[in-house]
Amino acid sequence: MEVFRYVGGKLYCEGVSIEKIAKELGTPFYMYSHSKIEENYRELDAALGRIPHLICYAVKANSNLSILGILKNLGSGFDVLSGGELYKVLKIKADPRKIVFDGVGKTKEEIEYGILNNILMFNVESFSELLILDNIAKKLKKEVPVGIRINFGIDPHSAHRYIDTSKGSKFGLEANEAKKIYLQAKKFKNIKLVGLHSHIGSQILEVKPFEMTFKLIFSFVEELKKQGINLKYIDVGGGLGIPYKENENKFPLKEYARALSLFKNCKVILETGRFIVGNSAILVTKVLYIKNSFGKTFVIVDSGMNDLIRPSLYGAYHRIIPIIKLSNYPIVRSNVVGPVCETGDFFALNRKMPLPKEGDLLAVRDTGAYGFEMSSNYNSHCRIPQILVKGKQFSIIRQREKYADLIKGE
Ligand code: PLP
């Protein structure tokens, strides 16, 4: 269902006029659709059908408490990558038995925090981490469930090398290293090696790299079985992409589920982030100024890389559409740029688009994942509010920061 649509030439989110909200609350802001998040979660869950599975929503994509709450109510578990993320999911009273803790650089304090909260599984990424974990578990007199993150080195064909976590990245252990650890599992008295983890990258739009990885996981698990080691959980990470561009296709969920059906005797854990929240939001911004310089047209808006860094960091493409449909606007190659003092501060470069007027409102689409979450106070800009729409109602799920917030703790 298209939740962002024009009604009488004006963009709505579900039953709410975005122009009205902008008038009431000012710009910029993020706006999320409750029903889109639910729809995406349910679609994924349904596609997995009878495969024994647990979706652990990747908190790193968007950790707003209200959004975490929606997912908890749908039955989702959570994938956390830091003590802070664990704190947030515990705040919404998530079931600890549905929490997995990932990350290449967990501190002793974070490990202890996870152990004390009896989470479902830690995914470890080095031998040293495993030793530390075993020691802490011993001190706390616990037996801790652990998975090992394996980097099978499959090229995920993701959209940017910064979101490719395969060969040559810092993530996981090579399969032969991991195997040695599984085989000496008995040495670790306070650890139960129950799982295997393999997240290959993010924003992947084809099934092939997943399929290849699943096959490698399958043979690895079969080999372990021959040695008497039976794993309970196969954590395949996240990475399911979304179409950001007009010409991109939806992620082939059915094919993905078919590839996953290989794992009949284990529980499959998915750490999906972007697919669940990515297309649930827009970033609403106002055009401040239009100018031409050295033959280029600049549309200067009131939001920038401090609010949405993906274009600057990954060269990511986000569609930009008007909040009030434009007619008879000239189509001009434009640079949509923000107020930050960096040349890399842009939402679009050299993009053919209807040239808006000063004061017009624009929506930057598909900004629900890694949008607000990666925002900062750079140039001492206040973080912008997050608005959640449900039907004809909206609520502010994070307030706009004030200048006083900028000096908190200084
Ligand atoms: N799990 C791990 C270990 C990750 O690093 C990431 C993101 O990079 C995710 C899950 C979520 O990925 P996505 O949002 O692409 O589903």
Side-chain angles (χ1 to χ4, degrees):
M1 188 181 66
E2 190 49 88
V3 289
F4 295 100
R5 63 192 198 293
Y6 289 100
V7 180
K10 295 184 174 180
L11 193 67
Y12 273 63
C13 174
E14 301 192 22
V16 170
S17 158
I18 297 165
E19 185 200 23
K20 237 171 105 188
I21 304 290
K23 277 193 183 139
E24 205 173 314
L25 304 176
T27 55
F29 57 86
Y30 277 101
M31 177 176 270
Y32 302 84
S33 155
H34 190 287
S35 65
K36 197 75 201 170
I37 297 172
E38 277 190 349
E39 182 187 311
N40 291 338
Y41 178 88
R42 291 207 170 109
E43 191 186 357
L44 176 62
D45 197 36
L48 296 166
R50 290 198 193 163
I51 302 168
H53 67 274
L54 173 66
I55 299 173
C56 289
Y57 165 71
V59 175
K60 65 184 289 199
N62 192 322
S63 70
N64 183 287
L65 293 182
S66 302
I67 289 172
L68 299 179
I70 297 172
L71 290 157
K72 185 189 103 172
N73 290 341
L74 288 165
S76 183
F78 297 95
D79 156 36
V80 301
L81 276 152
S82 69
E85 288 189 353
L86 179 56
Y87 172 79
K88 289 185 104 171
V89 296
L90 292 173
K91 265 272 172 240
I92 60 145
K93 300 204 162 33
D95 178 356
R97 302 306 300 159
K98 290 185 178 177
I99 298 174
V100 292
F101 200 146
D102 291 359
V104 72
K106 302 176 200 78
T107 63
K108 284 183 185 166
E109 292 76 18
E110 287 175 320
I111 292 172
E112 187 166 320
Y113 188 28
I115 295 179
L116 287 173
N117 281 288
N118 301 312
I119 61 166
L120 178 67
M121 180 165 77
F122 282 89
N123 286 318
V124 307
E125 304 213 18
S126 65
F127 189 63
S128 307
E129 185 192 341
L130 196 76
L131 292 179
I132 297 269
L133 214 155
D134 192 38
N135 264 328
I136 300 175
K138 188 173 169 192
K139 191 185 81 186
L140 299 174
K141 299 190 174 57
K142 298 261 193 184
E143 198 186 18
V144 179
V146 167
I148 294 176
R149 179 168 180 176
I150 303 184
N151 187 338
F152 287 102
I154 298 290
D155 180 355
H157 303 150
S158 51
H160 192 276
R161 67 190 166 90
Y162 289 177
I163 49 174
D164 169 347
T165 55
S166 67
K167 205 181 243 169
S169 75
K170 66 180 173 182
F171 297 105
L173 284 162
E174 287 184 50
N176 54 347
E177 286 299 314
K179 195 158 171 205
K180 280 186 218 156
I181 297 178
Y182 283 109
L183 293 179
Q184 39 175 322
K186 286 198 185 86
K187 267 212 233 157
F188 306 104
K189 295 283 174 268
N190 295 80
I191 279 174
K192 268 186 298 184
L193 275 172
V194 291
L196 185 158
H197 176 258
S198 192
H199 168 84
I200 60 173
S202 196
Q203 183 51 17
I204 302 166
L205 281 169
E206 31 168 342
V207 170
K208 196 86 204 151
F210 288 114
E211 206 174 16
M212 286 162 75
T213 309
F214 298 164
K215 282 183 180 155
L216 291 172
I217 297 176
F218 185 76
S219 6
F220 191 94
V221 171
E222 288 299 300
E223 267 189 54
L224 287 186
K225 257 189 209 162
K226 283 185 204 147
Q227 311 277 347
I229 301 166
N230 291 300
L231 299 183
K232 217 162 141 189
Y233 304 112
I234 303 298
D235 183 339
V236 292
L240 288 65
I242 59 166
Y244 282 102
K245 295 183 180 160
E246 288 82 357
N247 61 354
E248 281 173 338
N249 293 323
K250 259 200 98 177
F251 183 79
L253 261 191
K254 275 193 186 142
E255 260 182 73
Y256 177 79
R258 210 175 304 131
L260 266 184
S261 60
L262 205 54
F263 305 111
K264 292 199 176 59
N265 304 319
C266 302
K267 189 166 197 169
V268 173
I269 295 176
L270 285 98
E271 301 172 348
T272 315
R274 192 188 311 268
F275 184 87
I276 295 174
V277 290
N279 66 358
S280 75
I282 54 171
L283 167 60
V284 179
T285 182
K286 189 168 72 185
V287 178
L288 296 175
Y289 309 107
I290 311 260
K291 73 172 184 184
N292 290 297
S293 184
F294 290 98
K296 288 183 180 170
T297 300
F298 291 93
V299 176
I300 303 164
V301 296
D302 64 359
S303 174
M305 65 188 289
N306 50 305
D307 300 320
L308 174 70
I309 202 173
R310 296 191 71 257
S312 311
L313 187 63
Y314 307 129
Y317 184 98
H318 285 270
R319 285 174 287 171
I320 299 175
I321 58 170
I323 300 291
I324 299 174
K325 242 188 184 160
L326 310 174
S327 52
N328 303 324
Y329 277 58
I331 304 290
V332 175
R333 280 200 180 275
S334 307
N335 299 284
V336 181
V337 299
V340 173
C341 275
E342 295 284 342
T343 308
D345 175 31
F346 62 86
F347 289 156
L349 290 182
N350 200 26
R351 184 167 313 169
K352 242 181 169 175
M353 57 185 275
L355 183 67
K357 293 195 172 71
E358 292 177 357
D360 282 355
L361 296 171
L362 300 175
V364 185
R365 296 203 56 173
D366 307 315
T367 49
Y370 311 104
F372 183 87
E373 202 59 29
M374 291 176 106
S375 67
S376 76
N377 288 118
Y378 187 40
N379 277 190
S380 288
H381 284 293
C382 294
R383 276 203 177 78
I384 65 178
Q386 292 174 291
I387 316 292
L388 179 66
V389 172
K390 188 175 184 188
K392 290 188 171 163
Q393 309 293 328
F394 74 92
S395 48
I396 302 173
I397 56 171
R398 195 180 205 273
Q399 296 286 344
R400 188 184 300 286
E401 286 180 352
K402 299 189 174 68
Y403 287 151
D405 296 317
L406 295 173
I407 55 170
K408 245 187 216 163
E410 290 186 11

